[in-house]
Amino acid sequence: RETNRKMDRQLRILTEISRKGVPILLTNQVSTHIPTGEITIVGGEMVKNWIKCLIELKKQPRQIVIRKPEGRVIGFEIDHQGIQILPP
């Protein structure tokens, strides 16, 4: 409970800072439930409720998955010129 209160306070502070025009990028750890293969966010629903945009990066195939707000998948590759977005 105390940990949740502290995390909630920190996320509230970051939200207040972002409202003043300061961009905030929050990275988070994930874990995989071995029997189902389901990926979950450490911090769970609390983190999801506070954030405006949730982006997942997948390695194989390389994809950007926008989970919040819309649920879009964008393919990309990394080459000698940098990051290239693949056509849908």
Side-chain angles (χ1 to χ4, degrees):
R1 291 193 140 207
E2 181 63 24
T3 303
N4 285 348
R5 276 193 291 271
K6 287 180 180 180
M7 184 175 204
D8 188 65
R9 182 173 182 267
Q10 292 170 8
L11 291 168
R12 186 178 311 114
I13 290 168
L14 289 172
T15 300
E16 290 171 15
I17 292 169
S18 73
R19 288 185 180 144
K20 295 178 181 179
V22 177
I24 303 292
L25 176 63
L26 180 65
T27 61
N28 200 1
Q29 185 176 356
V30 296
S31 63
T32 303
H33 185 259
I34 300 299
T36 64
E38 183 179 338
I39 295 174
T40 57
I41 296 174
V42 174
E45 295 300 315
M46 181 184 298
V47 174
K48 285 183 184 178
N49 291 334
W50 276 101
I51 60 173
K52 188 187 295 187
C53 183
L54 176 61
I55 299 170
E56 176 185 348
L57 298 176
K58 291 191 170 209
K59 189 174 183 179
Q60 292 295 332
R62 292 191 190 272
Q63 294 177 325
I64 300 166
V65 182
I66 302 171
R67 299 231 178 260
K68 184 178 176 180
E70 64 243 4
R72 222 169 64 173
V73 178
I74 303 165
F76 73 98
E77 61 183 25
I78 302 172
D79 62 19
H80 65 281
Q81 295 177 344
I83 297 173
Q84 308 299 321
I85 301 298
L86 301 175

